[in-house]
Every structure is written in structure tokens, then in C-alpha cells.
Amino acid sequence: MKAKNEADSPKTKSNLINQLGVVLRSAEVHHVKNIAVGNAINNFVSLLSEFVKYEGDFILELRGDFFFVNEFRIRYASEVMINFDYLVRLFRTLEIGTVIIKSGAGTNDIISLTEAFVKSPAVNPFETIQQKMSHVNSITVHKLKKIVEEDLLDARKMVKKSYFKAVSFTQGVMNKIQQGEKIALKKAKRMIVSLVDHIINQEQLLVSMTSIKSYDEYTYHHCVNVSILAVALGQRLGLNIKQLTELGMVSLFHDIGKLEIPSRILNKTSKLSDEEWQVIKKHPIEGVRLLLKMKHVDFISIRSAIVAFEHHMFFNNTGYPRIKKSFPLDLYSRIVSLADQYDAMTSARVYSRIPMSPDKALNLMIKQAGSQLDPLLLQFFINMVGVYPIGTLVILDSMELGLVYESNPGFVTRPRILILSDSNGNRVDAFACDLAEKKNDGDFRRTIVRTLDVSKWNINIAEYLL
Ligand SMILES: [Fe+2]
Ligand SMILES: [Fe+2]
């Protein structure tokens, strides 16, 4: 067995993908013979030669929204995000699924690859690249596998089942706590582990479940939604499975203190008085009290207590509970605060029956970047949910009406949508289309013109997304 070395590390794999992005991006603006492209290629080749010494061939595969190198899933890190997103988009447009660069590949082979990638036509791009690369023995490309509808349907069913299981589990736990029963966190952990697993493998599917909102069971859906959104964001930030599980747990319990707020205040439909607001604002502290009363106080319950305490404190130390001296907020608190605001704004609740459309909520959050919200985390969050998040209703330049059901990584303005009505406004059987899809002349087939307010249209989003 070969000795383990630096080249085995995920960082090297991620650097290689990043550098490939640099090569192809610079070749889009300059000629391949240009010195900038030449330097980028040389850097790539030297990284590659280190890598192949220990790992053999370099196999880069796009699966869903993520890259795998030699079967190892590569995490997104902020410094490589731009190039990763660019490559995902490029692979999709060119219909490339896998690139295998064999250990003997040299500079000229990488130049051929670069030329083939940047100069391929909009029609049959994959076939053209394959033909152009046919003389390069050390590099092979494979076509992007189209996800078979049936597989997707099965995955959707499984994810949906887990989602509703999580909601009913949360309801059960909350009821027990309300009745004064001491609960153990073990079961909750098991449930979160399965959600984390789905997020790792089916991120978009599970995130799409969070657009299911329930007015009557708002609290339970809210806890699960915040948990899913937080874990999905954590995954994008590169947290490991153990940290993602912790994050999922602490998010689930962020509003637990609301159990101690009298329901006449919590469920009041008219405007709250100042005194009533003061009571509501106690839920972070009540949360701490409840969490430290759990059966066993351990690391998770303490971290949950911190997040429960801090989730309404803002990035700039405003918000509540008011504190005398400012301190940096826990990373998990900053993540939960984002997920919490987004889910709350886009749900119908007792005191705001009309939910905000997802894109409107996001726009409002952008205005709060740097003051209430952590700007860097928000950038990752937007990248995850897309500029047009799942559940957004849109009008297209074709005058068709569409519903966003999946975001397109790296192509935030071109999500995948379901067409709900034709250009004359007649309802049609919903069908899926990808806004990144181009016509033969290279122009996009459909483009979003503007968003619409779902509440003004008689459309049941959950019905379509489920
Ligand atoms: Fe809260
Ligand atoms: Fe909340």
C-alpha cells in the first residue's frame, strides 16, 4: 500500500478542482496560448503530478450539485466557491459527467482539454468534445447521467417520509416537555442523523421540503425546517457529519422556550401589547432553562442552550435578550438565526397570516446583511436556496407561469421550474424545465421576467412540490 501523503488530503483534491476552474475560466477570456492561461495550466499540471503519485488517475465526477474526486465527495469552501460553481455550471452546459485524467497526462493534454471545453458548440456539446479529445489517450470524458424520473420519484418519496416523520417526532417531544416529562436526546439524535444523511445525499430534495408550511402545525414544521436549512447551510460551509448532527439538534430546539409562553399570547391574532411582547421576548431565556433541565446535561444540551439564548441576537449585537457587554455569537447561533428568519418570514403564522414570497424574504435579508445577519453566511445561504428559492412563483419571457422547484448551483438566476400555465394563461399539467437550457442559436429557451406573490394566486405550492 502506498504511503499516505499530503496529496491524499481533501484540500489537495479541492485545490485541483479549483485550479481546473481557474484554467477554464481564464481560457474563456484569453487565448489558450496566452501567458495567464499557460501559467494556470502549469499550476494545474504540477498539482496533478503530486496527486497522481499517491492516488493514481484523477477521476472528477459531478453528481447532483457536488463534485467527487476518486469517489470522495469534495466540500465547498468559501475561497473556492466561485470556481466550483463555475465548473458545475460548465459541466452541466457541456453535458460532462466525468473527466478522467490518467497519471501520464502532460501539459499538452491539458491544453487539448481546455481548448475542447471552451470552444464547444451549444448543440451536442458532449459529442463535439469527445470527438475533439479522441486523439488524447490520457484523458477521457463521460456524459452526464440524466437522473431517471423514476429514481427521482423514489428518492422524493423517501425524503418526504423522513420529513413528515421528523415533524411528528418533534410534535411528540414538544408535548412531552410541555407536560413536564424529562426527555432524553438520544431519539432526537437518531432522527437528526437520518435528516443529515438525506441532506448529504439529496440536499435539494430535502431543502425543497422546507417550503411545505403548515399554518396549524407551524411550530413543529418550523423547528424541522430550521433544522434542515441550518444543516444544509452547515454542509456548504464544510462542517463534518458530527458537527452537522450537532447543528441539526441545536436548531431543532431553538424555540423550545416558546413552550413556556402562555398560548393566549403566543396564539393571539390581534396586535400584541408592549407587555405581551416582553413576555414573548423571554422565550430565549426560557429555552435555556428547559434545555438545562433535560435528563442528561451534555455537550449538545449546553450548545442548544447557547443557541436558544442567542438566536434572536443579531450580528451587530442588537436584538434580544439585551446584554450589557457585547460578545461574538456562536457560529451555530448565526446559522440558526438566518434559517429561522427565512422560514418564519415565508410561513403563515398567527400574527402574519400572509407569508412573504421566498424571493422577497431573501431581498429583505440582503438588506440586513452586516447589521442583523452575518454577511458571509448569508452569501452561502443565498447560493444554497438560489436568488429564486424553491416555492417562488415566476412569470417567464414566454409569458408562461412557473414554480421554482430546484435551484441551479452557480446559476442562481436560472433555477429548475415547473410550468403551471401556458402563454395564454391556461393551466396545463405541470411539467419540469431547466432555465439553464439553451436553444440551438445559443440563447436561453426561457428566462424569468419577474416574480409573483403566491398568496395572490390560488395555488397550493405543497401540492406541486410533493
Ligand atoms: Fe425564536
Ligand atoms: Fe424560530
Side-chain angles (χ1 to χ4, degrees), residues 222 254-255 258 283-284 311-312 320 340:
H222 174 66
H254 77 280
D255 264 342
K258 283 198 177 160
H283 81 271
H311 78 279
H312 285 287
Y320 65 89
D340 180 41

Side-chain angles (χ1 to χ4, degrees), residues 61-67 76 84-99 117 120-122 124-126 129 142-147 203-204 236 383 406-412 414-416 434-438 444:
E61 189 186 354
L62 179 68
R63 277 187 223 160
D65 293 343
F66 293 95
F67 276 117
Y76 273 62
F84 268 50
D85 280 345
Y86 165 79
L87 272 188
V88 170
R89 202 167 71 218
L90 188 70
F91 270 50
R92 287 234 173 95
T93 321
L94 302 178
E95 300 168 341
I96 303 275
T98 310
V99 176
F117 269 45
S120 57
N124 296 334
F126 176 78
I129 291 173
H142 295 277
K143 200 164 182 167
L144 188 64
K145 285 184 203 111
K146 286 250 185 300
I147 301 165
E203 187 210 41
Q204 285 286 316
R236 299 234 162 191
N383 204 269
E406 203 179 288
S407 70
N408 230 342
F411 225 157
V412 283
R414 300 198 165 272
R416 292 178 198 109
D434 189 336
L435 293 186
E437 195 189 313
K438 286 182 176 173
F444 289 106

Side-chain angles (χ1 to χ4, degrees), residues 307-422:
V307 171
F309 185 74
E310 293 181 345
H311 78 279
H312 285 287
M313 287 180 161
F314 296 138
F315 187 64
N316 60 2
N317 282 120
T318 57
Y320 65 89
R322 303 285 304 162
I323 38 160
K324 282 214 178 88
K325 213 170 167 214
S326 61
F327 55 82
L329 301 177
D330 189 285
L331 170 68
Y332 290 177
S333 303
R334 282 178 282 144
I335 293 176
V336 169
S337 165
L338 264 170
D340 180 41
Q341 284 203 29
Y342 178 74
D343 188 67
M345 279 195 272
T346 52
S347 304
R349 291 161 297 154
V350 185
Y351 37 92
S352 85
R353 288 213 71 142
I354 298 169
M356 207 181 269
S357 67
D359 66 301
K360 245 193 201 161
L362 223 49
N363 273 325
L364 207 78
M365 288 168 77
I366 291 169
K367 285 192 190 129
Q368 292 161 349
S371 54
Q372 296 193 5
L373 298 168
D374 183 322
L376 183 66
L377 293 186
L378 182 63
Q379 207 182 317
F380 273 90
F381 189 79
I382 294 169
N383 204 269
M384 178 180 87
V385 295
V387 174
Y388 302 108
I390 294 157
T392 307
L393 205 56
V394 293
I395 285 281
L396 306 171
D397 55 355
S398 57
M399 293 311 287
E400 291 161 309
L401 179 71
L403 178 71
V404 177
Y405 79 93
E406 203 179 288
S407 70
N408 230 342
F411 225 157
V412 283
T413 55
R414 300 198 165 272
R416 292 178 198 109
I417 61 170
L418 292 172
I419 303 279
L420 307 185
S421 75
D422 64 17

Side-chain angles (χ1 to χ4, degrees), residues 2-211:
K2 285 167 201 163
K4 287 279 169 193
N5 180 280
E6 245 289 273
D8 293 290
S9 79
K11 185 107 188 108
T12 315
K13 297 182 173 95
S14 149
N15 284 345
L16 258 169
I17 301 176
N18 184 49
Q19 192 56 33
L20 184 62
V22 174
V23 169
L24 295 170
R25 277 180 76 193
S26 59
E28 259 188 13
V29 242
H30 306 291
H31 189 268
V32 193
K33 294 270 153 61
N34 178 287
I35 188 151
V37 185
N39 286 341
I41 289 179
N42 288 340
N43 286 340
F44 179 76
V45 172
S46 82
L47 281 172
L48 185 69
S49 64
E50 265 309 297
F51 177 88
V52 297
K53 261 194 234 162
Y54 300 95
E55 294 245 347
D57 300 347
F58 173 63
I59 305 170
L60 177 64
E61 189 186 354
L62 179 68
R63 277 187 223 160
D65 293 343
F66 293 95
F67 276 117
F68 286 70
V69 171
N70 296 13
E71 290 294 317
F72 185 95
R73 210 196 77 182
I74 309 301
R75 293 177 192 282
Y76 273 62
S78 60
E79 66 270 22
V80 296
M81 194 161 76
I82 294 174
N83 290 326
F84 268 50
D85 280 345
Y86 165 79
L87 272 188
V88 170
R89 202 167 71 218
L90 188 70
F91 270 50
R92 287 234 173 95
T93 321
L94 302 178
E95 300 168 341
I96 303 275
T98 310
V99 176
I100 302 173
I101 305 181
K102 299 208 178 84
S103 49
T107 308
N108 283 336
D109 301 325
I110 305 301
I111 292 176
S112 302
L113 175 92
T114 310
E115 277 180 324
F117 269 45
V118 291
K119 284 189 186 155
S120 57
V123 188
N124 296 334
F126 176 78
E127 286 70 19
T128 313
I129 291 173
Q130 207 174 30
Q131 203 216 329
K132 279 185 186 168
M133 297 291 295
S134 58
H135 69 283
V136 184
N137 295 327
S138 60
I139 301 178
T140 40
V141 286
H142 295 277
K143 200 164 182 167
L144 188 64
K145 285 184 203 111
K146 286 250 185 300
I147 301 165
V148 185
E149 283 296 316
E150 262 173 47
D151 291 351
L152 198 68
L153 217 65
D154 279 350
R156 197 171 273 275
K157 262 189 210 156
M158 234 165 63
V159 166
K160 183 179 145 191
K161 215 170 128 191
S162 293
Y163 176 80
F164 281 100
K165 233 170 137 180
V167 172
S168 71
F169 174 83
T170 308
Q171 185 168 15
V173 170
M174 299 274 177
N175 287 342
K176 274 187 186 163
I177 297 174
Q178 203 150 34
Q179 282 153 17
E181 259 181 68
K182 287 208 168 196
I183 61 140
L185 291 178
K186 242 194 218 148
K187 268 193 188 163
K189 194 171 170 192
R190 228 175 290 149
M191 186 272 281
I192 293 291
V193 165
S194 111
L195 284 188
V196 168
D197 194 52
H198 280 312
I199 289 170
I200 290 173
N201 297 304
Q202 300 282 356
E203 187 210 41
Q204 285 286 316
L205 270 185
L206 200 59
V207 169
S208 78
M209 292 293 143
T210 66
S211 48

